[in-house]
Amino acid sequence: QKPCLFAEPWIFMSPRLLAAAAGNASASHEQESAEGTEFEPLYMLLIFIVALWCSGKVFARIGMPALVGEIVVGIAIGPQVANAVPETKALILEGEVALVLLMIEAGLHVDLEMIKIVGLRALAVGIIGSLLPMGLGMIVAVFILQMSNLEAFGVGASMATMSTGIALNVLKAGG
């Protein structure tokens, strides 16, 4: 008969928390806690995801897009500031896959009849929505950050791509 995981609630706690709660770091406990450290990245990832979710709810409650709260927490906890997120390369890959899926989903919701009606205006908005962030990103990179033209193009291209994904997510959330 398998033991129930919920019968021992401390099984979900990190070894560091258990050692701190016990106030005991003897040699016998060090060996036991070393065996449990393989789950620490999973705990940190769970804390990160819950923080993202909670910040999105808080920002939505105060009338701002949830994505703004998620970005703020991602910057604060992420590798650029606190570096508290494990497996950042895996999360970056997951984010890129999610962006592709977001674009596919947006494409599936396109109403071809509506595009025929608005036609050139929709094309102009799409082109301006991509070229304007790219151009502004390049201008900032060249004149303020003193980057080369190739580096500035990379900055501008990343701004254009990010603005599309963010705009789709904000528009989708807004109804």
Side-chain angles (χ1 to χ4, degrees):
Q1 181 179 359
K2 290 184 178 179
C4 177
L5 288 178
F6 299 109
E8 300 178 27
W10 60 84
I11 205 163
F12 295 107
M13 298 178 109
S14 116
R16 285 189 207 165
L17 289 175
L18 288 173
N24 188 347
S26 67
S28 64
H29 286 98
E30 286 179 17
Q31 183 182 5
E32 291 175 9
S33 67
E35 293 173 359
T37 57
E38 66 233 15
F39 290 108
E40 190 168 330
L42 188 60
Y43 293 132
M44 293 302 294
L45 183 62
L46 180 65
I47 290 169
F48 178 66
I49 291 172
V50 168
L52 286 175
W53 183 79
C54 289
S55 68
K57 293 295 181 186
V58 168
F59 272 66
R61 184 165 275 253
I62 62 174
M64 296 181 71
L67 184 64
V68 175
E70 293 165 359
I71 289 173
V72 168
V73 167
I75 291 171
I77 300 177
Q80 305 302 344
V81 178
N83 198 18
V85 181
E87 307 297 334
T88 54
K89 290 182 181 179
L91 288 176
I92 289 171
L93 177 63
E94 184 180 346
E96 291 172 353
V97 170
L99 182 61
V100 169
L101 292 175
L102 179 66
M103 294 297 190
I104 291 172
E105 181 187 8
L108 291 174
H109 292 289
V110 170
D111 185 9
L112 292 178
E113 294 300 320
M114 184 61 73
I115 288 180
K116 288 179 185 176
I117 294 171
V118 293
L120 291 176
R121 287 185 291 170
L123 182 63
V125 167
I127 290 173
I128 290 171
S130 293
L131 292 182
L132 185 65
M134 184 170 180
L136 290 175
M138 288 178 68
I139 289 170
V140 168
V142 168
F143 294 112
I144 295 176
L145 301 175
Q146 302 296 318
M147 293 183 170
S148 70
N149 289 336
L150 185 60
E151 292 170 332
F153 180 76
V155 169
S158 67
M159 294 302 292
T161 306
M162 287 174 35
S163 66
T164 305
I166 290 172
L168 283 173
N169 202 350
V170 170
L171 289 174
K172 183 178 161 188

